[in-house]
Amino acid sequence: MSSKPRIVLSSDHAAIDLRQAIAAHVKGLGHEVHDIGPTTTESTHYPKHGAAAAQMIADGDADLGIIVCGTGQGIMMAANKVKGIRCGVCSDTFSAKMIRAHNDANMLALGARVLGEGLALEIVEAFVDTAFEGGRHGTRVDMIKALEE
Ligand code: RB5
């Protein structure tokens, strides 16, 4: 992965404002951003939005994903059904660093009804700025990958 990973963003209707704030923030940090919507607050279904962002990573069109719904939980569950995706919900910066450093997570899920915008943006920065440590953690991530086969 390059020093500035390409980031895909999606959400459901519960998280439009937070997703757009995150998009602006990561663009400001110099990342290439693919915000795949939705753009209206009309009620929609989080699985399709989580899966669409996950598929972009699986296809090599983005390096990291940030997906948002009311709690982060439903959209995370959907994304993790796509082969090659490792997505965790985080509500603190320590966990956001650790899912990159130890779990090589390629997607972060956030809850727009859980987090204030300031904390959410700090969590996003912790996630995108942390590299996978490899080593013994690589062995364990390989074990996760093997479960998909
Ligand atoms: C939508 O009302 C809500 O269920 C969704 O945003 C999310 O929290 C599901 O996990």
Side-chain angles (χ1 to χ4, degrees):
M1 194 184 300
S2 72
S3 59
K4 287 283 180 192
R6 299 164 298 160
I7 296 173
V8 57
L9 289 157
S10 74
S11 75
D12 71 359
H13 56 280
I16 304 280
D17 289 348
L18 181 56
R19 191 198 77 234
Q20 290 177 339
I22 293 167
H25 191 73
V26 290
K27 266 183 204 159
L29 295 174
H31 293 272
E32 178 182 319
V33 173
H34 300 272
D35 185 350
I36 61 170
T39 54
T40 75
T41 54
E42 187 181 340
S43 184
T44 183
H45 305 299
Y46 58 81
K48 67 179 180 183
H49 300 292
Q55 196 60 52
M56 279 195 68
I57 294 171
D59 290 344
D61 296 326
D63 302 305
L64 297 177
I66 300 168
I67 51 178
V68 199
C69 68
T71 59
Q73 301 292 349
I75 204 163
M76 173 274 289
M77 291 177 196
N80 275 320
K81 296 297 181 189
V82 175
K83 189 174 179 185
I85 297 304
R86 290 174 301 283
C87 181
V89 179
C90 294
S91 295
D92 65 276
T93 56
F94 177 75
S95 297
K97 286 178 192 166
M98 294 308 285
I99 65 169
R100 289 285 306 124
H102 284 194
N103 311 120
D104 199 17
N106 46 19
M107 297 190 80
L108 167 70
L110 300 171
R113 295 173 176 161
V114 179
L115 299 167
E117 183 179 305
L119 177 56
L121 296 180
E122 286 188 16
I123 291 169
V124 164
E125 280 199 40
F127 180 74
V128 300
D129 286 347
T130 303
F132 180 48
E133 288 178 8
R136 70 186 188 282
H137 304 297
T139 303
R140 295 161 186 166
V141 171
D142 285 346
M143 292 170 72
I144 296 174
K145 290 177 181 171
L147 294 170
E148 292 180 325
E149 302 306 327

